[in-house]
Amino acid sequence: MDVVIPGPANRTAAATGEALGLAGPWRVATTDHRLTAVAGTVRALLAPHLGDRLLPPDTTGTTATTLELVLDAASSAPHRAPVGISPRGTAEPGDESYRITVDEHGVRCRSTTPEGVFRAATTALQTLAAATGPVPRGELTDAPHYAWRGLMVDPARGFLTPAELRRVVDLAALYKLNVLHLHLTDNEGWRLPLPAAAATGGPDAAARQYYIPDDYRALQAYAAERFVTVVPEIDLPGHCAALREAVPGLPAAPAPEGLKGRFPYVPPLDLADPDTRSLVASVLTEVCELTDGPFVHVGGDEAVGMTADSFALAVRELRALVRAAGKHPLAWQEASRAGMTANDIAQFWVDVPMMDLPDTQEELDRRPELLAAGYTPELVRALKRFFAPTDDDLARILDGGGRVLLSPQSHLYLDRRYAPDIVPPGQAEDAARLGFATYRPRGVRHTAAWDPAAYGIPEERIAGIAATVFGESIQGLDDLTTLLLPRLPSVAHTAWTGRAPDWDAHRDRVARHGRLWEDRGLSYLASTEIPWA
């Protein structure tokens, strides 16, 4: 099982015995009614890879290799409590540890919980999809390091249909991620019909550019079958142009002295205004009622053009509204400036050094991506001034007793363009089009080198890990997965194991996964850093 990502922690090879052939036919089997639904989900995930080699569930009298699912407290892997917050909101994260046994008859996946059995099954699935020969007999055990392992996608800017979101859920689950964070609102779009906001197209689901409640409920149910929790984001008080278009006349938040009119921006909402607060309350209450999981993200980032006092009031109101509706609020790191408590989680994404901005005209001249975007020394200085408070946000979170969800732009923003020198010629046009224009382009190895220990955060204060993909350049699922793959597996490895992968071993594993993605019809960047099999 040397093709699996994240790489399992412990493996023991059997001293003797015949290796497991992969030719099949295969059946997914369980004798435990508590795993019936899991078995059905595993079969659905296996189908693109095994095709006709996967027997229907009711097949009898046919000799087959078996992928067996077992709930077995006595023989599961030793359970260690993972670091961070359970995305399902339980006081203690569930047991995802598992044990896999391989012999000539098949693969047995064992755990104390259905979730752990499912994680084991994704390990087996990767092996069946990516291995190129017989699998040696033996046993492996594994368990996650971080409890929250997430992926954020951005249908507000780059709309994804419900069917496409289900395919994203499948991809996340295959790499043992357990949170899908949906950035549902922004200046460019409002993807829930609340309140009659930014909805375009007719009643036909293929034409709609928003999700009706039934879409959202169905996506959550689909994700739950794969042990993925959906976290919706309603990004306020800034990033609100779509809401302003839908509900004209909302007053602007008080602006800082001298800023009004100097730079183009959408005025943030004023949560001190009773009508605005009532509107936002209705939005958040309905989103909370529609959401099965315990968390709702309230945004709080880049609120350009409002005073510090107005911003702090807005964040406190947003948090209070979510709590009043029975959910736990989550926000971007800027929300720490409104105060933090032990009950608050802030998503850390940026500081000024991480922005990698030039200090001189000469340095700017060596950054073609910034020059092409119209950057000038004046604009760079203005950006550094605006983002200067981010240098202290992490300390604010920790000093206030809060938890940190790690999503640093430097490595985990997978909307970063690929470095041209690692792009194969046939994909140069797409690579030049995809990704946020002003980030320095990087290779796959750069993402894989990320170390969550680099920030000096005590482990007990880390809520989890989350990759993000904002959608400014995305025009559909193919664009999204080209940005995600082959970078996402390294983030998944680090989130599961707690450390960056060994690059040489990781790139060899990734090389086998191109076939897995092709089986699933997923586009990817065939980086020249990877020795594709």
Side-chain angles (χ1 to χ4, degrees):
M1 293 190 171
D2 59 353
V3 299
V4 175
I5 304 172
N10 305 296
R11 66 181 72 208
T12 304
T16 60
E18 187 178 344
L20 172 66
L22 301 180
W26 282 83
R27 66 161 46 94
V28 178
T30 184
T31 59
D32 193 319
H33 69 90
R34 294 170 294 177
L35 293 175
T36 300
V38 174
T41 301
V42 171
R43 288 193 80 264
L45 289 170
L46 272 171
H49 308 288
L50 295 185
D52 292 342
R53 292 184 292 148
L54 181 61
L55 296 176
D58 55 354
T59 301
T60 59
T62 301
T63 301
T65 311
T66 300
L67 176 59
E68 185 179 7
L69 311 180
V70 180
L71 279 176
D72 188 349
S75 59
S76 67
H79 172 52
R80 65 166 185 260
V83 172
I85 300 291
S86 167
R88 295 204 296 272
T90 52
E92 293 292 333
D95 186 357
E96 298 177 78
S97 62
Y98 66 83
R99 184 183 300 271
I100 286 180
T101 305
V102 179
D103 61 24
E104 69 273 22
H105 303 296
V107 182
R108 176 176 291 182
C109 302
R110 292 178 286 175
S111 179
T112 62
T113 66
E115 185 173 9
V117 171
F118 180 77
R119 302 297 178 215
T122 62
T123 295
L125 184 151
Q126 288 188 23
T127 301
L128 299 184
T132 56
V135 179
R137 292 167 57 102
E139 190 167 80
L140 64 85
T141 60
D142 205 5
H145 186 84
Y146 290 109
W148 184 302
R149 306 178 302 278
L151 169 64
M152 191 217 79
V153 298
D154 178 17
R157 294 185 176 100
F159 185 72
L160 299 165
T161 67
E164 289 172 330
L165 286 176
R166 290 192 291 273
R167 295 179 69 187
V168 174
V169 169
D170 286 347
L171 177 64
L174 288 175
Y175 289 102
K176 298 181 174 63
L177 301 178
N178 61 357
V179 175
L180 178 65
H181 170 175
L182 295 178
H183 187 78
L184 290 169
T185 73
D186 213 296
N187 292 325
E188 295 82 354
W190 187 281
R191 302 306 180 189
L192 292 175
L194 307 170
T200 60
D204 177 52
R208 275 194 280 106
Q209 295 287 295
Y210 63 96
Y211 309 115
I212 63 174
D214 284 351
D215 295 330
Y216 183 57
R217 291 190 186 97
L219 176 67
Q220 292 179 91
Y222 185 89
E225 291 171 350
R226 288 145 182 80
F227 298 93
V228 172
T229 299
V230 174
V231 175
E233 180 184 353
I234 306 300
D235 195 0
L236 299 170
H239 290 274
C240 60
L243 184 60
R244 287 191 172 282
E245 183 178 351
V247 187
L250 298 173
E257 184 75 24
L259 182 61
K260 189 173 183 179
R262 288 196 61 202
F263 297 100
Y265 61 89
V266 177
L269 299 181
D270 182 8
L271 270 292
D273 172 65
D275 290 340
T276 301
R277 185 189 184 282
S278 177
L279 171 66
V280 170
S282 69
V283 168
L284 290 176
T285 298
E286 186 158 353
V287 170
C288 289
E289 289 174 351
L290 288 172
T291 298
D292 297 331
F295 293 95
V296 170
H297 202 301
V298 297
D301 64 313
E302 298 179 325
V304 183
M306 67 191 306
T307 64
D309 287 346
S310 178
F311 175 73
L313 181 148
V315 170
R316 289 194 293 267
E317 288 288 346
L318 294 169
R319 287 172 173 164
L321 290 168
V322 168
R323 288 191 169 109
K327 301 296 181 182
H328 301 298
L330 174 67
W332 297 103
Q333 69 183 65
E334 292 95 321
S336 63
R337 300 168 209 172
M340 294 291 293
T341 72
N343 294 321
D344 291 318
I345 303 172
Q347 194 162 355
F348 175 61
W349 69 279
V350 72
D351 55 29
V352 173
M354 202 186 300
M355 295 178 71
D356 192 20
L357 292 171
D359 292 319
T360 66
Q361 180 67 59
E362 291 74 21
E363 291 178 4
L364 179 59
D365 290 341
R366 294 194 292 270
R367 297 287 298 277
E369 72 279 3
L370 298 182
L371 294 172
Y375 275 48
T376 64
E378 180 189 15
L379 177 57
V380 170
R381 287 193 293 271
L383 285 170
K384 287 183 177 181
R385 285 195 300 271
F386 175 74
F387 281 98
T390 62
D391 289 348
D392 298 315
D393 283 340
L394 189 56
R396 290 187 187 96
I397 298 166
L398 297 175
D399 291 346
R403 298 278 198 117
V404 181
L405 181 60
L406 284 170
S407 298
Q409 172 236 85
S410 59
H411 291 81
L412 299 197
Y413 270 43
L414 303 187
D415 51 351
R416 181 180 295 274
R417 287 182 174 175
Y418 290 100
D421 61 332
I422 61 96
V423 175
Q427 293 186 280
E429 184 176 343
D430 281 342
R433 175 177 60 84
L434 293 174
F436 196 62
T438 60
Y439 293 158
R440 188 192 295 269
R442 298 285 191 183
V444 177
R445 186 171 186 171
H446 173 79
T447 301
W450 178 66
D451 179 6
Y455 311 94
I457 304 170
E459 281 238 300
E460 68 272 13
R461 304 295 293 283
I462 296 176
I465 308 295
T468 67
V469 185
F470 284 101
E472 289 92 341
S473 66
I474 291 172
Q475 299 175 18
L477 183 66
D478 286 350
D479 285 352
L480 173 65
T481 60
T482 299
L483 287 170
L484 288 175
L485 303 171
R487 295 186 284 200
L488 182 65
S490 70
V491 181
H493 173 97
T494 302
W496 180 268
T497 67
R499 61 188 182 278
D502 173 80
W503 171 247
D504 290 336
H506 181 70
R507 67 196 286 266
D508 288 342
R509 285 192 171 103
V510 171
R512 309 284 187 87
H513 283 237
R515 184 172 59 185
L516 183 155
W517 304 330
E518 289 165 6
D519 285 348
R520 307 192 73 82
L522 300 175
S523 298
Y524 64 96
L525 193 287
S527 168
T528 58
E529 299 161 283
I530 309 297
W532 299 101

